[in-house]
Amino acid sequence: MASISFWTTGNSGGSLTVRSTAGLRGLVEAAGFTEVEDAESPAEGRQVSDFAESGPRSMVDLVRGTGAPAVLVSFLDSDVGFVEAVTPGGGTWEALLNRAVADDYGIPLDRFPVEPAVKEALAWAAAAGLTPDEDLLLQALTGSAAFAEELSSLLLVALGLPDPS
């Protein structure tokens, strides 16, 4: 998995969604996430936490600790979202939200091709026991919005997670 930290320097934090019945905050902090806010539970067994920063292995360490798939979106000033998802079996994928704005920032779009991301996201959702919506997924990964958080919410719904808003 490519590191997205180059572009997220100075970001506005991010949002992490993971299935966990245990207290998530301690696991998230142990995995290297900073300034973790208390988790919300939009659905039974799923928790969403906001954070300030994460380390290069934070997602892998978190998934190892929880034994459950996780997806995060790191935001660059609410303009762009960098998606990273991991499964316990080692499945990973990355994507970019708000591509037109990302291009304005000089982020190379070819590092985040859409079609492979859709295919990998569908496999991730299946491994997570979710029922994804491929059309919504494509819309989230190619759409534009005033705030990347809007596309992040759409992405989570497209993956089969409940609407976090």
Side-chain angles (χ1 to χ4, degrees), residues 7-77:
W7 292 292
T8 58
T9 301
N11 70 2
S12 301
S15 180
L16 170 70
T17 304
V18 64
R19 186 178 68 223
S20 177
T21 55
L24 186 62
R25 186 180 187 136
L27 292 170
V28 171
E29 289 173 343
F33 292 87
T34 64
E35 298 179 38
V36 179
E37 293 184 16
D38 288 332
E40 299 175 24
S41 295
E44 186 176 315
R46 306 274 177 199
Q47 295 185 33
V48 178
S49 291
D50 291 332
F51 62 91
E53 294 181 6
S54 63
R57 293 198 38 86
S58 293
M59 280 294 285
V60 171
D61 291 344
L62 178 66
V63 168
R64 184 175 295 125
T66 62
V71 61
L72 75 77
V73 181
S74 298
F75 299 105
L76 176 62
D77 298 329

Side-chain angles (χ1 to χ4, degrees), residues 60-157:
V60 171
D61 291 344
L62 178 66
V63 168
R64 184 175 295 125
T66 62
V71 61
L72 75 77
V73 181
S74 298
F75 299 105
L76 176 62
D77 298 329
S78 289
D79 293 331
V80 177
F82 296 92
V83 181
E84 181 180 2
V86 179
T87 66
T92 63
W93 61 278
E94 289 182 334
L96 188 62
L97 301 177
N98 236 3
R99 295 176 72 81
V101 177
D103 192 38
D104 291 344
Y105 272 96
I107 297 168
L109 301 182
D110 61 339
R111 293 250 344 250
F112 301 93
V114 173
E115 291 305 318
V118 169
K119 180 180 175 184
E120 293 162 356
L122 293 171
W124 179 93
L130 302 170
T131 304
D133 181 322
E134 187 172 354
D135 291 335
L136 271 183
L137 189 55
L138 190 58
Q139 183 181 344
L141 297 181
T142 60
S144 295
F147 299 102
E149 289 86 351
E150 296 170 37
L151 293 171
S152 177
S153 293
L154 179 61
L155 174 68
L156 294 178
V157 171

